[in-house]
Amino acid sequence: MRTAVAKPALMRSMPQIAHVDVNCFYASAERAFDPSLEGRPLVVLSNNDGCAVTRSPEAKALGIATGEPWFKLAPRAKEWGLVAKSSNYELYGDISARFMELLGRYSAWLEVYSIDEAFLGVKGEADQLLPLGRTIRDAVRRNVGVPVCVGIAPTKTLAKLCNKWAKNNPAFGGVCLWEAVPGDVRDSLLERLPVDEIWGIAGRLTKRLNVLGIFTVGDLVRADPVMIRDKFSVVLMRTVLELRGTPCIPMEEERIGRDQLIFSRSFATPVTSADGLRQVLSIYGQQASARLSKHGLQAKVLTAFAATSPFRQQEQAYPSVCVSLPMPTADPLLLARAAHALLPHIRDGLKYAKAGIMLTDLRPSGNQPPLEPFENPHEERGIGPLLEDVSRRFGRGAIGLGHAGIKSGLDWTMKRDMRSPRYTTHWDELPVVKAA
Amino acid sequence: MGVIVGPRVIDAGASLFSVLISPVAVAAGFPSPAQDYFDGRIDLNAHLIKDITSTFVVRVTGNSMEGAGISDGDELIVNRALEPKDGSVVIAVLDGELTVKRLRITAAGIVLQAENPRYQDIKVSALSDLTIWGVATRCLHHV
């Protein structure tokens, strides 16, 4: 039975969405600097070396599940040849920043969706979009050193779906264009795909859908959107419409994911100076601080990015930086200051239409009392600039801020026995090349 | 704040064109466009890094490249986006390790050459048998 999707002829000149994400991101970032890990089963462990959060394909083949505790895996690691790495968020954050900056060169419309995935607006015929997808895949592999897959479709939901197909089916060569997949193949793929494999559908929803006889994505595509809205939500109705080829999931501005928090926003009026962006980034710092406090979290790594206006005829730029925070924090001032590391990359005169920050390496705030974020006491009293002055004159660590202090406390140090070097953010941990 | 900027999309054909010229041409040594706006002190980043997405710094261990002015403990600036050519100093993957050598592509074959008579060259039957991690563009030599 044919599913109801928009006819290709109608989509020809319509904008399309490319969804690009890195395959097994953390494991791939490790391999980019340590070729000896290539082809070996590899897992990356969560904070405190708790459980496997990323598995290489070889580790998946061993039957290792996501979330499997390391203490259960460790006794068999030798027998399997399994390598485990502690999370190296400085490395992942920097690789992510490079990835996003590179993607920005391929489209003026870039939405950073998570540390390792983004949506891009693209346009063209099938015979141009497929090569574009391959170009992006090759460029990320070559420049940044990590493998990606690309899904291109009329909607975000379908683009994500295509990406999944590209990942799971080597025949696609890493790039799947919805329009280029024959209709009967699409239908049979949708009929086989359980409904919870779709973006935005989680466990509890799945059970309620199953009660209505909706088990596969194909079933969901055929469901009446109005019924779905009434019985579930507008959000799920949008998913149904998106699966039918009608774009209706807008740009999102703030998300908290499994292990990251993103603030990204487009400006009503472009910002044209580093000073203007300083203010914007400070505001994000405060908002991020409030959000972290609300969830009882602190962050250790911050990525800040900006993008020029897509509407103007001008040179375009997509600067992005990754900052390793001196300690896990939810302090608005520290977060804002870290975000300001982007400012030297901002060129006065260019029109920036968008900026954002992404926080990773999130962890429970422990016993440090959270600051009241909106009072922002430091900035009012000019303590920020003072700290900066003192540090400049007497060196980093000469003065510290409140509970953050001068020294790194013991309470936040984490067990990361198997962490690889922070290859791209620390001079004393550079990758070593042999001249032998 | 908070106004959504709708997607402006780039024509795939046009993007392909810019892809063809952009990273490669920039990497080949056009001055950074930022220099036109730059009015302050000399900026080593702008001078040494032509493409920040693909440029990495690595540390050298060993003496096999001394003839090329690359000593034990020096840092190399490596651009992964550059096409390795005959004569390039490359970072190659050998036995799961990153190794720095001079790449020679000649009619006689492909050779990874050491720049020190005490070390032997490595012959490679085809470029496709070789994983080139990146091309070194500068050496930060410790004096």
Side-chain angles (χ1 to χ4, degrees):
Chain A
M1 168 168 184
R2 279 200 66 87
T3 48
V5 291
K7 290 183 177 63
L10 292 175
M11 300 192 293
R12 271 293 144 81
S13 58
M14 295 285 285
Q16 306 247 343
I17 311 268
H19 176 254
V20 188
D21 83 334
V22 183
N23 307 347
C24 310
F25 177 51
Y26 295 173
S28 296
E30 297 286 346
R31 282 179 170 169
F33 296 90
D34 184 354
S36 73
L37 298 173
E38 213 61 62
R40 299 180 66 178
L42 169 67
V43 291
V44 176
L45 304 176
S46 60
N47 281 345
N48 279 326
D49 293 347
C51 52
V53 286
T54 302
R55 305 157 297 152
S56 73
E58 299 81 5
K60 288 175 190 169
L62 286 172
I64 296 169
T66 294
E68 200 150 335
W70 172 238
F71 74 84
K72 280 193 180 166
L73 297 171
R76 303 193 62 189
K78 202 163 196 176
E79 167 198 342
W80 283 336
L82 175 67
V83 181
K85 293 283 180 185
S86 308
S87 289
N88 186 345
Y89 288 100
E90 284 88 348
L91 176 65
Y92 311 149
D94 180 60
I95 295 299
S96 172
R98 290 166 185 259
F99 169 60
M100 297 305 173
E101 175 147 358
L102 183 58
L103 288 184
R105 295 179 188 170
Y106 294 89
S107 170
W109 179 54
L110 168 70
E111 181 185 335
V112 176
Y113 186 72
S114 74
I115 191 168
D116 61 350
E117 60 182 324
F119 293 105
L120 292 170
V122 292
K123 196 173 177 180
E125 306 290 328
D127 59 355
Q128 293 169 314
L129 288 174
L130 264 180
L132 175 67
R134 291 189 192 115
T135 303
I136 291 173
R137 179 200 60 188
D138 294 346
V140 176
R141 176 90 224 193
R142 192 187 58 211
N143 285 33
V144 186
V146 292
V148 299
C149 283
V150 184
I152 305 175
T155 70
K156 285 184 176 178
T157 307
L158 288 174
K160 269 216 162 206
L161 185 65
C162 285
N163 195 318
K164 187 181 285 242
W165 286 347
K167 276 206 172 51
N168 294 340
N169 189 342
F172 283 114
V175 181
C176 173
L177 174 66
W178 176 256
E179 227 182 295
V181 183
D184 52 338
V185 175
R186 282 197 313 228
D187 289 349
S188 78
L189 284 170
L190 291 179
E191 292 305 332
R192 276 190 313 206
L193 198 64
V195 73
D196 61 353
E197 298 263 321
I198 279 288
W199 185 35
I201 296 188
R204 206 168 55 87
L205 209 50
T206 311
K207 284 193 187 115
R208 289 173 59 202
L209 285 166
N210 290 353
V211 170
L212 294 174
I214 297 170
F215 294 95
T216 70
V217 178
D219 295 335
L220 188 62
V221 172
R222 283 185 296 272
D224 174 14
V226 177
M227 180 277 286
I228 291 289
R229 186 195 60 199
D230 294 344
K231 282 202 153 57
F232 296 90
S233 65
V234 170
V235 176
L236 191 58
M237 181 184 77
R238 285 193 191 136
T239 301
V240 175
L241 293 174
E242 285 243 327
L243 286 170
R244 294 181 174 192
T246 307
C248 47
I249 295 184
M251 195 116 96
E252 291 181 40
E253 295 188 336
E254 179 205 319
R255 287 174 298 280
I256 186 152
R258 185 168 47 94
D259 52 4
Q260 60 206 311
L261 176 63
I262 297 184
F263 286 84
S264 159
R265 205 153 287 187
S266 302
F267 314 136
T269 313
V271 175
T272 56
S273 68
D275 275 347
L277 268 178
R278 181 190 306 276
Q279 195 182 0
V280 169
L281 292 167
S282 300
I283 292 168
Y284 287 155
Q286 288 183 25
Q287 290 176 339
S289 162
R291 186 54 51 141
L292 285 171
S293 300
K294 185 180 160 196
H295 291 280
L297 293 170
Q298 293 179 323
K300 178 71 169 60
V301 175
L302 179 146
T303 306
F305 52 92
T308 46
S309 167
F311 291 122
R312 290 163 204 270
Q313 294 295 324
Q314 63 164 7
E315 202 183 326
Q316 296 188 330
Y318 315 90
S320 188
V321 295
C322 170
V323 183
S324 172
L325 295 160
M327 67 215 58
T329 184
D331 184 317
L333 186 54
L334 287 182
L335 293 174
R337 280 229 310 256
H340 290 169
L342 184 68
L343 297 176
H345 303 275
I346 298 299
R347 281 158 45 201
D348 282 350
L350 286 191
K351 294 185 169 63
Y352 291 91
K354 189 174 163 183
I357 62 174
M358 172 161 59
L359 298 169
T360 54
D361 197 356
L362 304 182
R363 48 184 93 178
S365 31
N367 47 17
Q368 295 177 355
L371 282 181
E372 176 51 41
F374 290 112
E375 283 179 13
N376 201 6
H378 308 305
E379 280 189 341
E380 275 170 25
R381 293 184 217 146
I383 288 178
L386 178 68
L387 288 178
E388 206 45 60
D389 282 351
V390 174
S391 300
R392 204 174 297 132
R393 279 183 63 184
F394 299 104
R396 291 278 154 212
I399 188 167
L401 181 68
H403 69 268
I406 295 171
K407 287 182 181 162
S408 19
L410 281 176
D411 53 334
W412 59 266
T413 52
M414 308 261 293
K415 192 174 156 208
R416 280 184 184 163
D417 294 343
M418 294 168 285
R419 201 203 64 209
S420 49
R422 294 165 291 184
Y423 298 110
T424 62
T425 54
H426 289 66
W427 278 103
D428 51 351
E429 299 184 27
L430 297 176
V432 171
V433 301
K434 276 174 65 177
Chain B
M1 292 276 290
V3 170
I4 304 287
V5 174
R8 187 198 79 156
V9 281
I10 289 201
D11 182 71
S15 297
L16 283 177
F17 180 66
S18 69
V19 167
L20 283 177
I21 57 164
S22 161
V24 177
V26 170
F30 275 110
S32 157
Q35 284 172 359
D36 296 338
Y37 297 83
F38 194 68
D39 216 11
R41 279 176 223 137
I42 283 172
D43 181 355
L44 276 177
N45 276 326
H47 183 63
L48 297 175
I49 299 177
K50 301 307 175 195
D51 184 343
I52 69 163
T53 68
S54 60
T55 303
F56 297 87
V57 184
V58 301
R59 186 168 316 279
V60 175
T61 166
N63 303 310
S64 74
M65 292 300 283
E66 277 188 341
I70 300 170
S71 303
D72 186 47
D74 285 354
E75 292 108 13
L76 293 175
I77 296 177
V78 178
N79 188 343
R80 293 193 56 140
L82 290 183
E83 200 68 43
K85 296 192 180 77
D86 177 44
S88 299
V89 172
V90 299
I91 311 302
V93 176
L94 291 178
D95 300 325
E97 289 182 313
L98 299 175
T99 305
V100 54
K101 295 278 179 186
R102 172 106 46 205
L103 179 68
R104 287 293 176 200
I105 305 174
T106 64
I110 290 151
V111 177
L112 288 172
Q113 205 175 58
E115 293 268 357
N116 183 332
R118 290 187 290 124
Y119 292 85
Q120 289 199 334
D121 297 344
I122 296 167
K123 285 202 168 62
V124 186
S125 48
L127 251 184
S128 55
D129 294 344
L130 192 61
T131 304
I132 301 288
W133 192 87
V135 175
T137 58
R138 300 275 179 169
C139 173
L140 305 183
H141 178 60
H142 293 232
V143 293

